Amino acid sequence: MSMQNDKQFGFEANFDGLVGPTHHYGGHSFGNVASTGNAKLVANPREAALQGLAKMKALADMGYRQGVLPPQERPATWVMRELGYTGSDHELIAAVGNTNLGYLSAMCSASSMWTANAATVSPSGDTADGRVHFSVANLQNKFHRAIEHRQTERTLKAIFSNEQYFSVHGALPMMAAFGDEGAANHTRFCKDYAGQGVEFFVYGRQHWGGTVEPQRFPARHTLEASQAVARRHGLRASHTVYAQQNPAVIDAGVFHNDVIAVGNQNVLFCHDQAFLNAQQVYAELKQKVGANFELIEVPSSAVSVEDAVKSYLFNSQLLAKTNGKQRLLVPEECANTPAVWAYLQHLIHDNRAIDELLVFDLKQSMQNGGGPACLRLRVALSEGEAAAVNPAVWMNDQLYADLTSWVKRHYRDRLHENDLLDPHLLDEVRGALDELTHILHLGSIYPFQRHGSDE
Ligand code: SUG
């Protein structure tokens, strides 16, 4: 089949992050109210991983292409060494923990589970060279996340290794001017997933430009980062839209745009407070996406920004259906927030683009500010491209059984910050990840399999 013919059969695959064995509540993300509000709760890593796997399996069972991205190695002993600690790996953990438990916790964070922040992905229909491009996000705003990108790059290269179809770019410079949070601030509109789409980049601030900025919480992502990603990927200006997030919602806890907006195919589902100069943004989207662009804007009078942040209504997944409509996959917190639930009942009976709800329990991740959409990286592919993906990462009955059994054998069912001092945790994690690289056919991607190197 020629590349040209392949392009007629596009679909969207979701690559969810498998929650790692050190999942805990560290309180590391200033500006993410769930993260800071739930700091030091006791976590259940086993339940967290099983909740994520249940979502992946349910989507695969509905016929959606579903992939798995593996967790990262934590504790990050190589970072401890970079910071001047010495000794055996067990000695490093004790030394860092005795300096400050929060410091150790940051180097143990399982935050790579939120793969919407792994990279920005431009499908082949949008790029100048006709390949699928990935730009790994630098996540420079938070220390515990800034240590993810080298592993993310290795992992993506182990899964999307075929350079005929895929191009994986490393992270942008690690500085505020190029703050990049990946696909959490990126949406794509299209008719056919493998055809030309319109890419929508949302930033929190412009570094060189003096835009209005939030006062309370940080704007993690810059316009300059989005523009650099668009240049690297070879996107067409005629099919690219940039918008600034409303600084007031960042100050209300909307630390990524995917906490207040989600789009798919011809639909943008968002809150009326999501964007600065919203009418201008909608007009440009309509002009570039085309006449069938459908805006479902939720008014503040129906759902407050506070309820949107509490429920994660917009951190939902919009999933294409065969009847031309879309499903909205929301976290259970939506059902527990009366105004949001009432709005959703009205929405699905209103003859708009969304006609079905799916509700999932993702509480373990939610308590750290990670909803359904945070847990997945969207990769639109043609059949030919999908065939070039490492086949061992596609979710199916067998992989679900293997990963469920793997989690049950290796994960603890309670983990508190204090438990991170336990030297056995490191050995447990490495044993688990070693087995995982075999299950997912990844090769030696982890530092402990590479003589401690993260290069
Ligand atoms: O970067 N939370 C993540 C949540 C990421 C959500 N992703 C998207 N919106 N796409 C963050 O703030 C909390 C970790 C802790 O506090 O233990 C954390 O990193």
Side-chain angles (χ1 to χ4, degrees):
M1 192 185 277
S2 74
M3 290 274 282
Q4 200 51 46
N5 283 339
D6 287 351
K7 284 187 185 299
Q8 290 163 17
F9 302 101
F11 56 85
E12 179 183 89
N14 285 291
F15 286 80
D16 279 46
L18 181 56
V19 179
T22 59
H23 161 64
H24 69 284
Y25 300 113
H28 298 301
S29 284
F30 177 63
N32 167 348
V33 290
S35 156
T36 47
N38 293 315
K40 308 205 194 302
L41 281 187
V42 177
N44 184 336
R46 179 186 301 184
E47 188 173 64
L50 295 176
Q51 286 174 346
L53 281 168
K55 169 164 93 81
M56 296 185 226
K57 179 64 162 52
L59 263 63
D61 286 347
M62 281 185 268
Y64 296 106
R65 311 288 179 106
Q66 178 67 56
V68 183
L69 293 177
Q72 300 202 355
E73 181 188 340
R74 295 290 181 274
T77 49
W78 60 95
V79 178
M80 298 174 185
R81 289 189 196 284
E82 282 171 20
L83 294 173
Y85 292 95
T86 54
S88 68
D89 286 347
H90 288 176
E91 285 165 350
L92 293 175
I93 291 164
V96 176
N98 290 330
T99 306
N100 183 314
L101 208 47
Y103 208 23
L104 176 62
S105 159
M107 290 184 246
C108 290
S109 178
S111 53
S112 68
M113 70 171 89
W114 299 297
T115 53
N117 304 117
T120 305
V121 185
S122 293
S124 56
D126 299 350
T127 63
D129 67 4
R131 293 189 295 167
V132 183
H133 284 249
F134 300 75
S135 271
V136 173
N138 60 23
L139 303 176
Q140 60 80 44
N141 192 263
K142 304 277 181 258
F143 169 58
H144 72 292
R145 304 221 59 182
I147 59 177
E148 291 176 26
H149 70 94
R150 281 183 284 198
Q151 180 64 64
T152 302
E153 183 177 347
R154 272 198 303 280
T155 301
L156 290 177
K157 284 182 170 161
I159 294 173
F160 303 97
S161 57
N162 188 330
E163 292 182 7
Q164 185 192 337
Y165 293 102
F166 307 118
S167 171
V168 178
H169 306 259
L172 291 170
M174 299 293 287
M175 54 198 301
F178 296 105
D180 179 9
E181 299 282 317
N185 293 321
H186 177 255
T187 305
R188 178 172 182 262
F189 302 97
C190 64
K191 282 200 182 70
D192 177 341
Y193 287 109
Q196 171 81 66
V198 171
E199 299 205 16
F200 181 39
F201 291 87
V202 182
Y203 58 93
R205 59 185 280 269
Q206 185 174 351
H207 191 78
W208 288 283
T211 45
V212 27
E213 295 193 13
Q215 301 298 307
R216 185 172 172 221
F217 292 144
R220 299 192 197 182
H221 197 120
T222 65
L223 171 62
E224 289 83 355
S226 296
Q227 289 170 328
V229 168
R231 268 192 301 273
R232 288 163 149 204
H233 294 191
L235 303 185
R236 298 165 185 96
S238 57
H239 291 76
T240 307
V241 177
Y242 299 96
Q244 185 176 346
Q245 232 187 314
N246 177 357
V249 300
I250 296 180
D251 279 339
V254 182
F255 56 98
H256 289 136
N257 179 61
D258 69 3
V259 176
I260 199 134
V262 58
N264 183 35
Q265 294 182 320
N266 63 322
V267 177
L268 175 62
F269 177 55
C270 66
H271 194 272
D272 68 3
Q273 294 299 304
F275 308 108
L276 203 62
N277 306 322
Q279 297 311 320
Q280 224 170 291
V281 174
Y282 301 151
E284 187 177 350
L285 284 170
K286 195 172 177 73
Q287 185 247 318
K288 289 184 173 170
V289 175
N292 73 337
F293 174 67
E294 182 171 347
L295 172 68
I296 305 181
E297 190 196 52
V298 182
S300 302
S301 56
V303 175
S304 64
V305 171
E306 193 190 348
D307 273 351
V309 172
K310 194 168 93 186
S311 65
Y312 264 38
L313 166 62
F314 299 98
N315 198 260
S316 45
Q317 290 181 241
L318 272 175
L319 299 160
K321 291 175 59 167
T322 47
N323 70 355
K325 302 272 183 174
Q326 304 203 27
R327 297 184 165 99
L328 190 72
L329 188 163
V330 299
E332 215 169 66
E333 285 70 5
C334 286
N336 301 333
T337 308
V340 169
W341 196 240
Y343 172 81
L344 284 172
Q345 298 314 310
H346 161 80
L347 175 71
I348 55 169
H349 294 114
D350 213 20
N351 204 23
R352 311 283 308 262
I354 299 167
D355 72 349
E356 190 182 331
L357 292 178
L358 300 169
V359 182
F360 277 77
D361 176 7
L362 295 163
K363 188 156 188 265
Q364 285 290 323
S365 168
M366 283 288 289
Q367 289 183 155
N368 248 339
C374 302
L375 286 162
R376 60 97 169 92
L377 182 66
R378 298 198 273 189
V379 186
L381 296 167
S382 67
E383 290 293 351
E385 290 154 1
V389 174
N390 172 348
V393 302
W394 292 117
M395 181 54 67
N396 53 36
D397 291 346
Q398 187 60 51
L399 184 59
Y400 179 73
D402 291 348
L403 290 178
T404 302
S405 143
W406 174 81
V407 168
K408 288 183 176 162
R409 277 182 288 112
H410 292 285
Y411 280 47
R412 298 187 183 191
D413 61 7
R414 61 169 277 135
L415 198 66
H416 182 264
E417 192 181 69
N418 294 331
D419 301 318
L420 303 172
L421 280 163
D422 177 359
H424 297 302
L425 185 62
L426 173 85
D427 307 327
E428 286 167 30
V429 169
R430 290 180 177 174
L433 295 184
D434 205 37
E435 196 181 320
L436 185 65
T437 51
H438 294 291
I439 297 174
L440 297 177
H441 298 186
L442 295 170
S444 299
I445 57 167
Y446 291 117
F448 76 93
Q449 297 169 320
R450 303 160 61 87
H451 309 289
S453 168
D454 190 36
E455 296 296 334

